[in-house]
């Protein structure tokens, strides 16, 4: 469960990106965050795995007070929370498999991942993760040889390798053409059907409405809509 209580975020330059956020997301939800550029969507997502610190309030994720996490505890916490980026964030000059294996050793560059050094169980899990997003046949293809949609599926496999309970995604389909975007969203749906909570930012409102069961509208760092996708109106 993710619980924001009166959370605000002010960046060091003085920009207030989040104001008084109160929000509870239950396990297994599929939530899309919509709103204009600069509204605070990305900041909201990135506080959850502590890529950004909150400035005030309380943020509790899976029972952990996020502000209190550091070091080994923070690393363990992050293994349970997948993160997907618009630009995929793969290491391009190595294979899909090495990118996925790197999930097990976050401090190591995938370029240095020697498949032979990984225990059999990790290799199996990596292959299983690739298979679950139907990209197993590209396991030994370099990331820079893959299409955008394939890269995002490899990135999804990389998060799945560590059995996350939550996957955060910051504009995961913004760089994909409309057909590929839907294909990738179908995999988010599949992963959500397996019980993983999905929280993603998306500027394609139609896709948010089609895939999410709950939509958050953000404006100027505040939640201005929180409800089912089928009730969203043009004001959000
Ligand atoms: P969105 O994802 O909705 O486009 P962001 O969360 O990226 O919005 O940004 C919210 C506000 O915070 C914007 O005014 C943006 O310029 C500002 N902002 C974002 N990241 C930083 C940062 N690292 N330092 C300072 N200001 C930032």
């Amino acid at each position: 469960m993710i619980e924001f209580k009166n959370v605000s975020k002010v960046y060091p330059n003085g920009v207030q990106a989040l104001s008084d956020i109160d929000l509870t997301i239950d396990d297994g939800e599929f939530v899309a965050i919509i709103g204009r550029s600069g509204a605070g969507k990305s900041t909201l997502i990135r506080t959850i795995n502590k890529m950004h610190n909150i400035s005030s309030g309380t943020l509790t994720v899976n029972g952990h007070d996020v502000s209190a996490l550091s070091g080994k505890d923070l690393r363990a916490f992050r293994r349970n929370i997948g993160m997907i980026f618009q630009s995929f964030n793969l290491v391009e000059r190595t294979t899909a498999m090495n990118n996925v294996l790197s999930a097990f050793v976050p401090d190591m560059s995938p370029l240095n991942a020697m498949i032979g050094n990984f225990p059999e169980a990790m290799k199996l899990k990596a292959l299983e993760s690739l298979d679950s997003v139907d990209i197993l046949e590209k396991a030994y293809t370099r990331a820079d040889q893959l299409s955008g949609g394939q890269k995002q599926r490899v990135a999804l496999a990389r998060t799945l390798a560590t059995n996350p309970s939550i996957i955060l995604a910051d504009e995961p389909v913004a760089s994909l053409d409309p057909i590929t975007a839907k294909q990738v969203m179908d995999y988010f749906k599949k992963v959500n059907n397996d019980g993983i909570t999905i929280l993603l930012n998306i500027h394609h409102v139609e896709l948010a409405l089609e895939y999410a069961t709950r939509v958050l509208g953000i404006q100027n760092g505040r939640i201005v809509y929180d409800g089912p996708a089928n009730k969203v109106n043009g004001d959000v």
Side-chain angles (χ1 to χ4, degrees):
M1 192 168 89
I2 301 169
E3 196 173 23
F4 288 79
K5 279 193 190 153
N6 204 25
V7 168
S8 295
K9 164 71 183 175
V10 182
Y11 281 106
N13 63 357
V15 171
Q16 174 135 15
L18 299 175
S19 299
D20 303 325
I21 300 289
D22 283 302
L23 171 67
T24 300
I25 296 172
D26 285 319
D27 293 345
E29 288 201 74
F30 192 133
V31 182
I33 307 175
I34 61 176
R36 291 189 180 171
S37 179
K41 304 180 298 296
S42 174
T43 303
L44 181 69
I45 289 241
R46 287 163 192 243
T47 59
I48 293 169
N49 65 355
K50 215 183 183 198
M51 280 179 81
H52 290 310
N53 289 310
I54 61 172
S55 307
S56 60
T58 314
L59 172 56
T60 311
V61 177
N62 293 341
H64 297 278
D65 174 1
V66 174
S67 296
L69 290 171
S70 64
K72 198 151 59 82
D73 293 340
L74 180 58
R75 284 198 292 277
F77 171 78
R78 282 186 180 145
R79 269 198 290 280
N80 193 28
I81 302 182
M83 182 78 190
I84 299 279
F85 301 88
Q86 174 176 350
S87 51
F88 322 120
N89 285 24
L90 299 180
V91 174
E92 295 280 329
R93 287 167 48 241
T94 190
T95 62
M97 179 68 169
N98 279 356
N99 273 281
V100 176
L101 284 168
S102 72
F104 296 115
V105 276
D107 299 330
M108 187 182 72
S109 162
L111 282 177
N112 300 326
M114 303 288 280
I115 289 178
N117 292 344
F118 283 87
E120 214 51 43
M122 283 188 188
K123 285 188 264 182
L124 276 175
K125 182 67 189 179
L127 292 169
E128 225 177 76
S129 302
L130 287 162
D131 194 31
S132 72
V133 290
D134 299 325
I135 192 100
L136 184 59
E137 78 278 7
K138 300 291 184 189
Y140 302 105
T141 301
R142 268 167 53 142
D144 56 12
Q145 306 296 311
L146 301 175
S147 69
Q150 290 171 333
K151 285 180 187 178
Q152 201 57 300
R153 280 148 63 194
V154 171
L156 200 48
R158 179 177 55 188
T159 71
L160 294 172
T162 55
N163 293 324
S165 64
I166 300 169
I167 294 180
L168 308 172
D170 198 350
E171 295 287 0
V173 299
S175 6
L176 305 176
D177 66 77
I179 290 169
T180 309
K182 277 181 69 83
Q183 283 168 356
V184 168
M185 290 298 286
D186 285 336
Y187 285 101
F188 277 99
K189 190 76 208 164
K190 174 175 188 248
V191 163
N192 178 247
N193 287 339
D194 292 337
I196 299 176
T197 306
I198 304 289
L199 178 59
L200 53 80
N201 292 342
I202 187 156
H203 68 257
H204 296 100
V205 176
E206 315 74 50
L207 284 179
L209 303 189
E210 181 175 348
Y211 285 90
T213 49
R214 177 178 175 189
V215 170
L216 298 176
I218 309 271
Q219 265 177 25
N220 294 323
R222 293 180 189 275
I223 296 175
V224 296
Y225 177 86
D226 179 1
N230 59 13
K231 301 256 169 55
V232 175
N233 64 40
D235 300 335
V236 175

